Structures are given as structure tokens and as C-alpha cells.
């Protein structure tokens, strides 16, 4: 059998979230906001905040360790590591390299980061799939891990209420079985709208200076209304296009797992697709927007709750800074052990 015929499926999934919970009530003592405003505009009640020194590579390593444990595998079994993050521990080296060392993965495997903000996990899945189908890699860890609390301006009520920290990981594996695992995908980007959600300072274009720090250039800034509009349109379109590409009707999809940004965005996407919210599981209320970690966090929860079952079609869809977007249709596969 030629390697081009291999399928790639999620063999195991695991997450890690920091212990510290930041509730809306506590946030209301920090900025001029209220539990009611945050809940009605976003659906968020609380988010997790990483401890000082608890970095994306640490959270990602814990999520990945849990994933390997669930798969009954060890770090030595992993052939490739891809990390999706927009809050890397340091500008370089990659968070993937730091995570590789912390998890004790083999020293000879490729490890790299994917930068696509909140769409990062969906991008990373596709990169992994294409590298694996070549036959060169049998098992890949894809990790989404974020410490957004480090780039949020805690005096800006229009953004600080929305984001949180956490990590999720999947172990991808190849199989000769047909029509299982990652079936179809669509990725896109529009850099013309980069300024709608961005961090202006700290990179090589504007290295950190005393002035840039004073002006808050190292913080995330967002045009919430415009981002909202784009998110709804692009996520609904991405779902429709990937379903058409795979010749699957939305009625056949058991679960939609969208990037957890805002409950009103999820409701608008579901309504455009004519799909009930009962097929859009969400954990936004407890974690807020965790960017590249949000899809694995939601996917793991839906699997752990017994919602996602062997053979189910699952459509994951994301949207984020860049602007970027992506959708992946997969058939959940649990091989007999
Ligand atoms: N608490 C209380 N009031 C707030 C507030 C807060 N945390 N944040 C903003 N407001 C105020 C605004 O200042 C504004 O007041 P004004 O009318 O006196 O000017 C009012 O609430 C309405 O603001 P608006 O921006 O119109 O609210 P909105 O309904 O658009 O909701 C967001 C704001 C940010 C929740 C919404 O635009 C959103 O979710 N956008 C998408 C963000 C996102 O998901 N980004 C990540 C994508 S990956």
C-alpha cells in the first residue's frame, strides 16, 4: 500500500488548565465592568490564569503528557511535534523546542511552532496530516497552548474580560483504514485586516523600549465589532465549504466544535448553518477565549462527557488574528486496543 493512502486520526486527547480561576465578579473590581455585561455580551463567567512561571511550554507539556498516558504511549513513541501558540514563552527558540525538552521527547525529531493565532490548532492539524501522509511520521503531537493573560491589557475592559489561559493536545496516528480521522480541510487568511486584532510592539519592527512599554504597545488590541462580523461570516462559510468539499450535509455532522470566542458568535454561526445549539458544545463560560487551546479544550470535554463517539462526524472551525480561519471535518475513530 502506498503511503499516500494512509489516513490520519486522533488517537488520544488531553488538556491542562491552570488552577487559578478569575471570575467576572473579581474582574469587576479591576475594571469598570459587571458580571451581567460580560455574560450577556460574551457568555463568559470565569477564565483560568496561569501562575507566574507557568508558561505555555509547561502547560502544553502537561496536556501532552496526559494525552500520551491516555494513548498508552511514551515520549519515545512521538515522531513529530507541532505547537500552535500566539503567546510563545520567548521570541525564540520555539515553544515546541522548549516543550520537547520538558516532555523528554526524542532528540532527533522535528519540533516547530505554527503561528495562526486562534486558528493555530486547525492550521497545525493540517500541516501534521500532510507531513504524516507522506509516510515519514507515524505519530505526531499537536499542541495548542496559550498564556493570553501575559498579552492582555488588564486596564482595557474591552478585551481583558474575554481571554484566558490553558492548553490542549492530540496524538495523531496514521492508519491504513479508509474514511476515518481527518477527512477534509480548508484554511484561509486575509492579512489586509491584520490591524483588527494585533500586538504592535515587541517584535523586530518595534522592539520593546521604555516608550513602547509606557504606551502599552506590547498588549493585544482589538476592534471587537469588526472582528465579530468577520468571525461569523468566515466561520459559517468555512463550514459550508469544507462540507461541500467532502460531500457531507450538515445534518450528518454529529458535533460542531467551534473556536470558543464568544457565545453570540457561536449562536450566529449555528443559525447561519441552520444547526441547533445542542450540536455546538461549548465551555466558554468556564474558560473564555483561550486562542489555539480552545478547540482541543472543547473537543476533549465533548469526548470526556461521552458526547463524541466512535464513527461520529465532527466539524471543527476556527477564526483568529491575521486574520486567519480554518475548518476540519473528521470522523472520530477509536481503534480496538
Ligand atoms: N464592561 C462594560 N462595558 C463595556 C465593556 C465591559 N467589559 N467593554 C465595552 N463596554 C462598553 C463599551 O465601551 C460601549 O460603551 P458605549 O456604548 O458607551 O461606547 C458598550 O459597552 C458597547 O460596546 P460594544 O463594543 O458595542 O459591545 P459589543 O456588543 O460589540 O461587544 C465584544 C463587545 C468585544 C464583546 C464583541 O464585539 C466581541 O465579542 N467581538 C469579538 C471579539 C472576539 O471574539 N475576538 C477574538 C476573536 S478570535
Amino acid at each position: 500500500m502506498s503511503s499516500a493512502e494512509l489516513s490520519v486520526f486522533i488517537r488520544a486527547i488531553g488538556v491542562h488548565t491552570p488552577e487559578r480561576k478569575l471570575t467576572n465578579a473579581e474582574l469587576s473590581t479591576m475594571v469598570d465592568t459587571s458580571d451581567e455585561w460580560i455574560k450577556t455580551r460574551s457568555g463568559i463567567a470565569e477564565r483560568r490564569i496561569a501562575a507566574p512561571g507557568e508558561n505555555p511550554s509547561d502547560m502544553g507539556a502537561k496536556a501532552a503528557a496526559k494525552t500520551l498516558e491516555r494513548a498508552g504511549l511514551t515520549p519515545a513513541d512521538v515522531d513529530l511535534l507541532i505547537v500552535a501558540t500566539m503567546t510563545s514563552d520567548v521570541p525564540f527558540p520555539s515553544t515546541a523546542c522548549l516543550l520537547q525538552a520538558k516532555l523528554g521527547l526524542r532528540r532527533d525529531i522535528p519540533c516547530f511552532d505554527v503561528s495562526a493565532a486562534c486558528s493555530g490548532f486547525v492550521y497545525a492539524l493540517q500541516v501534521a496530516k500532510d507531513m504524516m501522509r507522506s509516510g515519514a511520521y507515524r505519530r505526531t503531537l499537536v499542541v495548542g497552548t496559550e498564556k493570553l493573560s501575559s498579552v492582555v491589557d488588564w486596564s482595557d475592559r474591552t478585551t481583558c474580560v474575554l481571554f484566558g489561559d490553558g492548553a490542549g493536545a492530540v496524538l495523531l496516528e496514521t492508519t491504513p483504514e479508509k474514511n476515518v480521522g481527518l477527512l477534509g480541510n480548508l484554511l484561509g487568511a486575509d492579512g489586509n485586516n491584520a490591524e483588527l486584532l494585533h500586538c504592535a510592539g515587541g517584535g523586530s519592527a518595534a522592539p520593546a523600549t521604555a516608550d513602547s512599554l509606557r504606551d502599552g504597545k506590547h498588549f493585544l488590541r482589538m476592534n471587537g465589532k469588526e472582528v465579530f462580523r468577520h468571525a461569523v461570516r468566515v466561520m459559517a462559510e468555512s463550514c459550508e465549504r469544507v462540507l461541500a468539499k467532502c460531500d457531507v450535509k450538515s445534518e450528518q455532522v454529529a458535533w460542531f466544535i467551534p473556536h470558543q470566542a464568544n457565545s453570540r458568535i457561536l449562536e450566529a454561526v449555528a443559525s447561519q448553518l441552520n444547526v441547533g445549539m445542542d450540536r455546538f458544545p461549548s465551555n466558554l463560560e468556564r474558560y473564555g477565549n483561550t486562542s489555539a487551546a480552545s478547540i482541543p479544550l472543547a473537543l476533549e470535554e465533548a469526548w470526556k462527557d461521552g458526547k463524541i463517539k466512535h464513527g461520529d462526524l465532527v466539524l471543527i472551525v476556527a477564526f483568529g488574528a491575521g486574520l486567519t480561519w480554518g475548518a476540519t471535518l473528521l470522523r472520530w475513530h477509536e481503534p480496538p486496543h
Side-chain angles (χ1 to χ4, degrees), residues 33 37 41 118 157 222 224-225 259 261-262 264 289 319:
T33 190
W37 193 97
R41 301 293 174 119
C118 301
R157 69 176 184 172
M222 176 175 71
K225 267 198 193 326
H259 166 50
N262 180 315
R264 288 186 300 140
N289 180 346
F319 171 87

Side-chain angles (χ1 to χ4, degrees), residues 69-280:
E69 187 192 315
R70 281 180 172 161
L73 297 171
T74 70
D77 297 314
V78 177
D79 306 315
L80 170 67
L81 168 67
I82 306 180
V83 172
T85 185
M86 60 181 271
T87 50
S88 47
D89 289 29
V90 289
F92 62 88
S94 68
T95 299
C97 287
L98 303 178
L99 200 159
Q100 174 196 23
K102 285 177 182 171
L103 194 57
L105 298 179
R106 293 201 317 265
R107 286 170 186 240
D108 58 346
I109 66 166
C111 301
F112 61 94
D113 290 0
V114 162
S115 171
C118 301
S119 312
F121 187 77
V122 179
Y123 266 65
L125 279 184
Q126 182 64 16
V127 173
K129 177 184 170 185
D130 287 342
M131 290 179 75
M132 294 171 78
R133 280 168 60 99
S134 75
Y137 308 98
R138 171 138 195 253
R139 295 191 182 110
T140 299
L141 271 173
V142 172
V143 181
T145 182
E146 302 281 13
K147 188 175 174 179
L148 289 154
S149 59
S150 68
V151 294
V152 157
D153 179 351
W154 289 102
S155 67
D156 175 9
R157 69 176 184 172
T158 68
T159 53
C160 75
V161 301
L162 300 174
F163 299 98
D165 302 336
V170 292
L171 190 279
L172 299 178
E173 189 168 285
T174 52
T175 172
E177 283 187 59
K178 297 274 193 309
N179 196 26
V180 299
L182 310 180
L183 303 178
N185 183 286
L186 176 141
L187 300 176
D190 176 12
N192 297 298
N193 279 310
E195 80 292 349
L196 291 182
L197 177 48
H198 75 299
C199 175
S204 58
T209 61
D211 285 348
S212 78
L213 286 177
R214 191 201 53 224
D215 298 340
K217 291 273 175 23
H218 52 298
F219 291 133
L220 170 161
R221 301 288 175 207
M222 176 175 71
N223 178 334
K225 267 198 193 326
E226 278 301 304
V227 169
F228 193 107
R229 224 170 41 80
H230 280 274
V232 173
R233 182 176 57 78
V234 160
M235 289 216 286
E237 271 175 24
S238 299
C239 289
E240 279 160 0
R241 286 176 59 194
V242 94
L243 287 175
K245 214 166 136 178
C246 298
D247 198 19
V248 166
K249 303 259 169 291
S250 61
E251 305 85 79
Q252 295 170 264
V253 176
W255 304 105
F256 292 77
I257 308 284
H259 166 50
Q260 308 284 301
N262 180 315
S263 56
R264 288 186 300 140
I265 293 180
L266 305 195
E267 282 155 19
V269 172
S271 148
Q272 285 207 15
L273 295 172
N274 215 8
V275 170
M277 282 307 283
D278 54 333
R279 283 196 283 152
F280 268 70

